[in-house]
Amino acid sequence: QGQLVESGGGLVQPGGSLRLSCAASGSILSINAMGWYRQFPGKQRELVALITNSGRTNYADSVKGRFTISRDKAKNTVYLQMNSLKPEDTAVYYCNVQSVFLTQYWGQGTQVTVSS
């Protein structure tokens, strides 16, 4: 904990937008992939979006066309731009980093609430 710092969550109306950020510390030297997961109350975490070191992206079907993941390699930061937000997007969003040695790192989680 503390190696990944998330920010950008909050309360937004349906149809609105948020941008999540996740900054990895410099101690994580060899990143294979970075991604975002979310967890609904009473359910397991699920993949939202993933970006590999080569730039390959993967999205959950429920967010395709609405969310965009990007990475700034120089800053070791991953972003999740969320547009056209829906109430069903309400969840705790977690940043995830995978090293080339398959070590897993998790952010502290940030609450996203979509409600009118």
Side-chain angles (χ1 to χ4, degrees), residues 47-66:
L47 177 67
V48 176
L50 181 73
I51 185 167
T52 69
N53 196 41
S54 65
R56 176 77 66 179
T57 59
N58 189 29
Y59 296 92
D61 288 341
S62 59
V63 307
K64 286 182 179 178
R66 300 189 296 120

Side-chain angles (χ1 to χ4, degrees), residues 34-93:
M34 304 182 76
W36 292 92
Y37 291 69
R38 65 186 179 187
Q39 187 168 22
F40 305 108
K43 296 187 177 181
Q44 297 181 347
R45 293 181 190 181
E46 63 180 40
L47 177 67
V48 176
L50 181 73
I51 185 167
T52 69
N53 196 41
S54 65
R56 176 77 66 179
T57 59
N58 189 29
Y59 296 92
D61 288 341
S62 59
V63 307
K64 286 182 179 178
R66 300 189 296 120
F67 292 9
T68 302
I69 188 170
S70 61
R71 177 185 174 188
D72 185 333
K73 291 184 177 181
K75 298 182 181 297
N76 273 356
T77 300
V78 64
Y79 306 92
L80 185 67
Q81 178 67 45
M82 304 184 293
N83 298 325
S84 302
L85 283 162
K86 305 175 181 179
E88 52 262 44
D89 294 318
T90 297
V92 178
Y93 285 71

